[in-house]
Amino acid sequence: MRHFLTLKDLTPVELQQLIARAIELKRMHKAGEIFEPLKNKVLAMIFDKSSTRTRVSFESAMIQFGGSSIFLSPNDTQLGRGEPVEDSSRVISSMVDAVMIRTFEHTMVERFAQYSSVPVINALTDDYHPCQLLADMQTYVEHRGSIEGKTVVWVGDGNNMCHSYINAAEQFGFHLNIATPEGYEPSADIVSAAKANISLFNDVKSAVKSADLIVTDVWASMGQEEEQKKRESAFADFQVDSRLMALANSDALFMHCLPAHRGEEVSAEVIDGSQSVVWDEAENRLHAQKALLEFLFTH
Ligand code: CP
Ligand code: NVA
């Protein structure tokens, strides 16, 4: 049995195959082909944080695959009233075929996985967002071909998305320039495990030179709402605008996992402009996660 808690739970070869499969599943879906490999299978979806894309994509994926899903929020489960993660894991995993979790502490998904009898998928923690990276890698490949050897630039907060980009740099073989304000760097442990593929910058203009892909994310993630004002001033020089895009390669793409704040981390001109592939990126959550579900159900 396999879990998907970070991108490192799959080998580089498995990840490449998964992206290729996501592209194929997308083609099949667009062609109207009915493909129901997960008939009668059930996915439990535990959400301790809000979601639009993750919930809709996993739920649609299960329905299109012939299975179904159960949405579990802390307001309605005993988990939300303090039932131990270990007990909840044993019980929930005895009744369903896979479990997807979006929560705060990454150790929660690790503890859940340890006691689970079925595959566990990390659908975002404070530390990682690996499902989003599957969609991002699929989107890059669809637009530009292989990402191996390319230069990707992360602009903004050294957050969960940034950490998953660090894992992706290693697993997909690209170089990642990370431009953050001082004090907002990614975790030193995660960086040091991938240091051959990473360069850290505090000057965003130097970081974006020769970029093939520029990626950013919100300045205050879920759970950091009270830091919004402080972060707005710390990140003021880190907006991805058209002047910054102009310093990158002329065919550079722009990605953002969404939801976005136009006028903060990205200008409206960039996110709504011709280099932005954010709508494909969002749609690919569906296709990439179908490939992930198929992989986990057959390994
Ligand atoms: N990108 C992403 O995970 O979006 P949601 O928070 O809407 O699921
Ligand atoms: N870094 C953001 C990503 C949202 C999909 C957050 O954790 O809120």
Side-chain angles (χ1 to χ4, degrees):
M1 186 187 56
R2 305 283 292 273
H3 298 299
F4 186 63
L5 306 189
T6 75
L7 284 179
K8 291 190 156 189
D9 287 329
L10 270 64
T11 66
V13 170
E14 286 171 338
L15 287 168
Q16 293 294 344
Q17 287 166 347
L18 198 142
I19 300 304
R21 183 63 178 156
I23 293 169
E24 171 65 4
L25 288 166
K26 182 174 184 176
R27 187 202 59 73
M28 288 160 63
H29 182 65
K30 302 260 179 211
E33 291 175 31
I34 304 293
F35 179 55
E36 299 184 323
L38 302 187
K39 234 181 166 73
N40 294 318
K41 301 288 186 194
V42 179
L43 173 71
M45 308 195 305
I46 299 172
F47 279 98
D48 290 335
K49 291 176 174 171
S50 304
S51 169
T52 296
R53 281 143 287 270
T54 305
R55 179 177 176 182
V56 175
S57 55
F58 271 112
E59 237 175 278
S60 297
M62 287 306 293
I63 294 168
Q64 290 167 16
F65 267 177
S68 56
S69 60
I70 304 172
F71 175 77
L72 299 165
S73 96
N75 300 333
D76 313 301
T77 60
Q78 301 292 4
L79 255 174
R81 296 180 58 250
E83 184 171 9
V85 169
E86 292 76 6
D87 295 0
S88 304
S89 172
R90 276 184 275 220
V91 172
I92 295 170
S93 69
S94 73
M95 299 176 186
V96 303
D97 303 287
V99 180
M100 183 235 83
I101 305 173
R102 166 168 288 196
T103 192
F104 293 86
E105 289 183 7
H106 189 70
T107 51
M108 186 276 195
V109 296
E110 291 176 336
R111 282 160 62 208
F112 199 106
Q114 197 182 337
Y115 288 85
S116 172
S117 54
V118 300
V120 174
I121 298 168
N122 173 7
L124 184 146
T125 62
D126 289 345
D127 294 342
Y128 296 100
H129 195 5
C131 289
Q132 183 68 51
L133 262 289
L134 298 179
D136 288 21
M137 295 299 101
Q138 178 186 349
T139 307
Y140 190 88
V141 169
E142 285 176 342
H143 283 269
R144 295 285 185 265
S146 173
I147 197 161
E148 196 178 342
K150 302 287 182 184
T151 300
V152 178
V153 182
W154 176 266
V155 179
D157 191 17
N159 63 12
N160 45 9
M161 275 296 298
C162 179
H163 291 158
S164 283
Y165 259 94
I166 294 172
N167 289 165
E170 216 184 344
Q171 298 288 67
F172 289 90
F174 58 81
H175 196 84
L176 182 65
N177 291 346
I178 301 172
T180 68
E182 265 181 69
Y184 293 93
E185 289 85 2
S187 144
D189 290 347
I190 298 171
V191 170
S192 72
K195 53 177 180 298
N197 295 76
I198 308 295
S199 306
L200 297 179
F201 296 80
N202 293 130
D203 172 33
V204 65
K205 290 199 182 84
S206 335
V208 299
K209 288 207 181 89
S210 4
D212 297 299
L213 167 63
I214 295 185
V215 194
T216 191
D217 187 11
V218 291
W219 291 340
S221 285
M222 289 182 276
Q224 299 172 330
E225 288 78 5
E226 76 292 347
E227 295 179 31
Q228 176 68 29
K229 281 281 158 272
K230 182 179 118 193
R231 284 169 171 266
E232 275 175 26
S233 45
F235 288 87
D237 295 334
F238 286 77
Q239 182 182 97
V240 180
D241 57 17
S242 38
R243 275 183 305 182
L244 197 68
M245 288 301 292
L247 301 175
N249 287 342
S250 57
D251 67 344
L253 297 175
F254 172 78
M255 291 192 199
H256 188 312
C257 65
L258 306 178
H261 297 81
R262 287 170 178 77
E264 290 182 31
E265 73 274 7
V266 61
S267 68
E269 209 181 8
V270 168
I271 196 168
D272 299 318
S274 60
Q275 287 168 282
S276 170
V277 289
V278 297
W279 312 122
D280 291 339
E281 181 188 3
E283 179 191 327
N284 283 340
R285 295 293 302 279
L286 170 67
H287 311 296
Q289 285 156 206
K290 281 169 113 172
L292 175 67
L293 289 165
E294 187 184 51
F295 176 89
L296 294 174
F297 276 100
T298 50
H299 281 79

